[in-house]
Amino acid sequence: MPGMLRAIVASLVALSFTALQAPSAEHGTIRLHYVMKPIGVERYDITHDAAGLTLSSDFDFTDRGGRVQLTASLQAAADLTPIHFSAKGKSYRFVNVDSDVRFDKGAAVVRADGAERHIALEEPTFPVDGYAPFSVQMLLLRYWKLHGRPQRMATVPGLPVNQVVIEPRGRDVIRLGSRMVTLDRYSVDGVVWGRETIWLDDTGAFAAGITRAGGLSFEGVREDLEDALVTFVERGTRDRIADLETITARTPPLRTGTYAVTGATLVDGTGKPPIADAVVVVRDGRIAEVGRRATTTLPTGVPTVNVAGKTIVPGLWDMHTHVTQVEWAPVYLAAGVTTARDMGNEFEFIVPLRDAIASTRALGPRLLLAGLIDGGGPNAFGVTYATTPEEAAHVVGGYHDHGFQQIKIYSLITPPMVSAITSEAHKLGMTVTGHVPNGMTIDEAVDRGMDQIAHLAIRGEADSPEVEETVAHLRAKGTVIDPTQSWNELLGHAAGTPVSAFQPGILKIPPPLNRLFSNAGTAGIDASTARSRLERGLRIVKALHDAGVPIVAGTDEGIPGYSVHREIELYVEAGFTPMEALQAATIVSARAMKLDSELGTIERGKRADLVVLDANPLDDIHNIRKVRWTIRDGRVYDAAALWRSVKFTP
Ligand SMILES: [Zn+2]
């Protein structure tokens, strides 16, 4: 070959080599946010060589004073076929990660959760252990693009593998001052339960991601794009609401309009004895008629559904939740929950979601919103603070203007600010609930105006004079308590006790959620210690109830849907009658939110929020789990179809 030509060929080879090879090193700094508050960073490095690439990532944040750190590494061939993955540390306060995956010719050795599995890989497979770190999700997307964008992929560790579906959702132009950045937006379904949003730039580098950590919203934004955080949240929200509208279209109500349900045992929730062989006439979302079939005249020409053998109870309430993803909407209806009080969320997410559900464009429970306010500083939660009376008036007014029913006070609010917030809220016709702020007692919190208290913030034994005094004080003040006992049980159970022993619903939830909760629990205690701690709390709940303090059922999320059932069961374990436990999740909750003239019982004129169960919960409270159909505002939904729509097993 003549010298000249040889030189040209050599330079072409060099050129094509450069074009094929990614840069020899990549570095990224991703700012981490919890419920939009900046709380830490992920730094990653990727080195490329002839054999492929090696990623190493340091993921590190501090949430309300608690440090969460994770280190991860990933080696892959030049085409991103994985070779070795490891992750160690924590990805959330109660989520320990210690996994290692070695790939070799269509098989993988997966070590996770203290067990080792040999897995034959049947489809494109990539290692990802939960949402963190974001750089591994970036490589997952690059792998997907390089391998023909398969409709479905597997990820490990899983049970034994997870199914992941990636979808391109469009291109976004993000404006940052005078700079414009064009990004590709993807939804990733299956790394966590439900869809995440991930943005990559034109070089394939991570730009932003929206996911959930331990059930609450979590965002990663590349440092140079930090100012666009709100834009990312708004665009991600738009996709998610569109996803919920798709689920809504695919899961239409079995019945709407005017119809009669006959033959069931009716537990109307007023406390009256059940009515056997009852009839409920629903007309345009309301209860038009209810009573014994023998004595109730059915309007002529009304379609009738015979549900003999079933039991009808009022729609359930979850009085303590954080609906941080749209998948909660079908889950709640499937579990019989027709009203949920959200106790702190991202404003840019929850307001459009509430409105989409209220307009019936999207199915879901009625959402009542409590706007969270904390005291500011590095350990604060969320991004809405009040440290002066002016700030208190401003943020309370802002929530009021957007239709929030309540304010939720968080732990760093100072005593004078409790007074400022509650007086401002009361002026606007809102009520105030929340945590007993740090350094205050529950008695002081209610003396400063709090109408309700979240969690069971009472120490000591139920029969001690101090506790008896507090109970009497709360009774005198008319304070409402949501004691979140199922949440305490979920995190406080002895780590050796399987969650399924008390929460059988865990066997029906999707694998990413299962991995999250099957590791929850308290290490270093035995089952009887855990149980006696729980029982101490239940005795206080019973003492409050006996004194006349309204107890409302709330979960703080827990196992989606099923924790509502567990909360109700725990009240029966505390000594409530099944009727009283049911009322805590229906009429007592409705009364606490001043909506009892519309909701909470099955009475003529009220909204038609009903649950049709396969068995009577007054015979055995566990029957509250046997939801067959849920009726919200007269629209009848099939529980099994709703569970399936978000990958639960009915
Ligand atoms: Zn909460």
Side-chain angles (χ1 to χ4, degrees), residues 147-163:
H147 291 257
R149 303 182 171 228
Q151 279 221 319
R152 210 178 64 163
M153 281 183 51
T155 62
V156 283
L159 294 170
V161 298
N162 275 347
Q163 299 298 335

Side-chain angles (χ1 to χ4, degrees), residues 225-406:
L225 302 172
E226 174 72 12
D227 289 346
L229 171 66
V230 172
T231 306
F232 287 122
V233 170
E234 287 170 346
R235 300 221 174 150
T237 297
R238 227 183 286 160
D239 282 351
R240 298 294 77 79
I241 290 178
D243 294 340
L244 183 58
E245 288 171 4
T246 303
I247 291 173
T248 303
R250 287 183 191 151
T251 325
L254 302 175
R255 208 170 265 283
T256 58
T258 303
Y259 56 91
V261 183
T262 63
T265 298
L266 178 78
V267 178
D268 67 11
T270 61
K272 284 187 234 153
I275 297 174
D277 195 15
V279 57
V280 182
V281 179
V282 173
R283 184 180 297 127
D284 302 327
R286 289 192 183 264
I287 297 160
E289 216 52 72
V290 56
R292 274 172 214 293
R293 179 148 63 161
T295 57
T296 307
T297 329
L298 279 181
T300 49
V302 166
T304 298
V305 191
N306 189 311
V307 294
K310 312 276 185 227
T311 298
I312 301 181
V313 300
L316 305 179
W317 292 52
D318 187 346
M319 284 289 277
H320 190 140
T321 190
H322 305 271
V323 179
T324 55
Q325 58 186 97
V326 299
E327 290 80 6
W328 278 94
V331 158
Y332 268 137
L333 289 185
V337 174
T338 50
T339 307
R341 174 175 68 175
D342 189 281
M343 290 282 266
N345 209 308
E346 292 182 349
F347 183 88
E348 289 78 1
F349 175 79
I350 197 68
V351 169
L353 177 62
R354 174 200 62 188
D355 294 346
I357 293 173
S359 73
T360 72
R361 279 188 288 120
L363 59 75
R366 178 181 299 99
L367 291 178
L368 308 176
L369 307 186
L372 191 143
I373 306 177
D374 204 358
N379 291 336
F381 182 68
V383 291
T384 307
Y385 312 130
T387 55
T388 65
E390 293 71 32
E391 278 177 2
H394 179 73
V395 295
V396 170
Y399 280 132
H400 179 259
D401 290 347
H402 288 89
F404 285 62
Q405 280 81 6
Q406 273 191 328

Side-chain angles (χ1 to χ4, degrees), residues 259 268 280 282 285-287 312-317 333 336-339 364-366 586 598-603 606-612 630-635:
Y259 56 91
D268 67 11
V280 182
V282 173
R286 289 192 183 264
I287 297 160
I312 301 181
V313 300
L316 305 179
W317 292 52
L333 289 185
V337 174
T338 50
T339 307
R366 178 181 299 99
T586 54
E598 280 281 281
L599 299 164
T601 55
I602 305 173
E603 293 178 276
K606 284 196 176 183
R607 294 197 166 273
D609 281 9
L610 317 166
V611 189
V612 182
T630 299
I631 304 176
R632 194 208 137 175
D633 275 332
R635 296 185 297 280

Side-chain angles (χ1 to χ4, degrees), residues 216 320-322 343-344 372 381 408 410 435 454-455 482 484 487 555-557:
L216 292 179
H320 190 140
T321 190
H322 305 271
M343 290 282 266
L372 191 143
F381 182 68
K408 180 185 184 185
Y410 210 72
H435 290 192
H455 310 298
D482 76 83
T484 61
W487 180 244
T555 60
D556 213 357
E557 295 197 348

